[in-house]
Amino acid sequence: MYLDNVVWGFIGCGSVTEKKSGPALASTPGSRVAAVMRRNAALAEDYAQRHAIPRWYADADALIADPEVNAVYVATPPSTHMQYALQAIAAGKPVYIEKPMAMDHDECQRIIAASARSGVPVFVAYYRRALPRFAQVKQLLDSGAIGTARSVRATLHRPHSVNAASPDFWRTNPAIAGGGLFVDLGSHTLDLLDHLLGPLTDVRGLASSLSGAYPAEDSVSMCFRTGTGAHGIAQWSFCAFRRQDEIEITGDRGQLRFATFEDVPVELETEAGVQTFDLPNPPSIQQPLIAALVDELRGNGHSPSNGISAARTSAVIDQVLQAYRTRQSR
């Protein structure tokens, strides 16, 4: 389906929409925002007034039914992603879902099935696929700058945060987030590796709550094989001594080094030496992906992130956390 202009309604207008996505959805050519919804009516009204958005709602059904809204952005915690996505699809309105796509792979599959039946597109906010620095990494990989990729090492360490242990912090509440910070942050790295090197297979994982600060996992290790055949290991710790954010992809003729989250240059090392590529993030970090999906909805392009690609990342998360989730449910 194609739209002449994409007119968005937001279900959820919390912090992620303030800078990461909202400005891009409002300013991308062919895209504008007509309405927002939040269960707290006062906060919805405040957001609409601050961002010059014509209408606000405290009810998702009303927003989806808004006749001017022809596309829906689901910016709520994961526990309601499937519900709102299915409602938007049933109304014939393309949906852009915050990551992770849903609570688990089964929920993702239900969204994909509804999309396939109706022909209504689904996109997911794995926006790193479209950022300039990772486009540079992919170009280097695809051009053979490091030869054939042989191994991958990914690390994300963060010190324990007292806020993460608060009952009000939904990102470490598995009933709302589907897991802990591995699901919230680790999903970005997993999806990026899928994009750069093909779907991850032969996934094995170990998850624990080593700090005991909250029920969700705070320490995760995994091994895997990439779509190109490279072997990979990855580790996430959210109770570590210091911050660390690194990805290394080593080939038979060189190595690439970069970070998932930190705004640092990409490094390419070969026998010729070290070359750096400094490509800062845009002010609204989701803007390149939003521009791509708006172009697709208008019949002029293709988004690198959609429901099918995002569901693969949820499947990997499920594999890694399966044993831990089983233990926690006993």
Side-chain angles (χ1 to χ4, degrees):
M1 66 183 299
Y2 297 122
L3 303 173
D4 290 335
N5 289 285
V6 187
V7 185
W8 294 97
F10 295 1
I11 300 180
C13 50
S15 60
V16 71
T17 68
E18 292 285 353
K19 291 183 178 180
K20 289 184 177 182
S21 59
L25 288 163
S27 63
T28 294
S31 173
R32 62 185 176 87
V33 183
V36 297
M37 170 268 167
R38 193 164 178 171
R39 287 179 296 179
N40 185 316
L43 292 178
E45 181 180 18
D46 173 71
Y47 186 95
Q49 290 178 346
R50 286 188 294 106
H51 294 278
I53 295 169
R55 291 180 299 287
W56 57 270
Y57 299 97
D59 177 75
D61 293 347
L63 179 131
I64 293 170
D66 186 313
E68 188 179 9
V69 169
N70 63 15
V72 174
Y73 173 36
V74 177
T76 59
S79 57
T80 53
H81 284 185
M82 182 182 71
Q83 170 194 341
Y84 294 139
L86 292 177
Q87 287 181 243
I89 291 168
K93 300 185 179 186
V95 61
Y96 178 47
I97 310 170
E98 267 303 324
K99 45 81 5 213
M101 181 175 173
M103 291 287 277
D104 54 37
H105 186 251
D106 287 344
E107 289 194 355
C108 295
Q109 290 299 100
R110 290 184 61 184
I111 297 170
I112 290 169
S115 171
R117 286 193 302 269
S118 64
V120 175
V122 172
F123 307 96
V124 180
Y126 283 118
Y127 52 83
R128 280 171 173 76
R129 286 175 175 250
L131 286 175
R133 81 179 58 203
F134 301 121
Q136 178 69 68
V137 172
K138 186 160 180 59
Q139 188 276 324
L140 291 168
L141 287 169
D142 292 348
S143 69
I146 63 167
T148 300
R150 301 300 194 196
S151 69
V152 181
R153 182 182 64 84
T155 304
L156 182 69
H157 289 172
R158 298 275 177 90
H160 171 68
S161 167
V162 174
N163 291 336
S166 167
D168 297 326
F169 191 75
W170 64 261
R171 288 177 172 82
T172 53
N173 182 342
I176 299 175
L181 295 174
F182 165 68
V183 175
D184 184 46
L185 301 177
S187 59
H188 273 298
T189 300
L190 296 174
D191 187 81
L192 180 58
L193 293 175
D194 177 292
H195 176 60
L196 295 174
L197 295 165
L200 307 186
T201 62
D202 297 330
V203 173
R204 302 289 186 274
L206 175 66
S208 303
S209 176
L210 295 182
S211 70
Y214 43 80
E217 75 290 341
D218 62 17
S219 304
V220 173
S221 301
M222 67 175 280
C223 60
F224 56 92
R225 190 190 307 269
T226 72
T228 61
H231 289 196
I233 57 172
Q235 188 175 65
W236 294 264
S237 174
F238 300 100
C239 52
F241 167 60
R242 62 186 173 194
R243 294 172 69 98
Q244 186 176 357
D245 180 6
E246 296 176 343
I247 298 177
E248 290 182 352
I249 302 176
T250 302
D252 53 6
R253 291 195 287 118
Q255 184 181 77
L256 283 164
R257 293 184 292 271
F258 52 97
T260 303
F261 297 98
E262 299 299 321
D263 199 357
V264 296
V266 174
E267 290 188 357
L268 167 65
E269 183 175 1
T270 64
E271 289 185 351
V274 177
Q275 187 176 0
T276 61
F277 304 84
D278 193 2
L279 299 162
N281 293 328
S284 182
I285 200 167
Q286 294 193 22
Q287 192 279 327
L289 177 61
I290 287 168
L293 72 88
V294 166
D295 281 347
E296 180 170 334
L297 288 173
R298 301 180 74 205
N300 300 320
H302 175 71
S303 168
S305 178
N306 55 42
I308 292 172
S309 62
R312 293 198 298 266
T313 292
S314 289
V316 171
I317 290 170
D318 286 358
Q319 289 175 276
V320 171
L321 295 183
Q322 181 179 10
Y324 184 73
R325 285 170 173 169
T326 300
R327 290 197 305 271
Q328 292 299 104
S329 66
R330 290 173 182 167

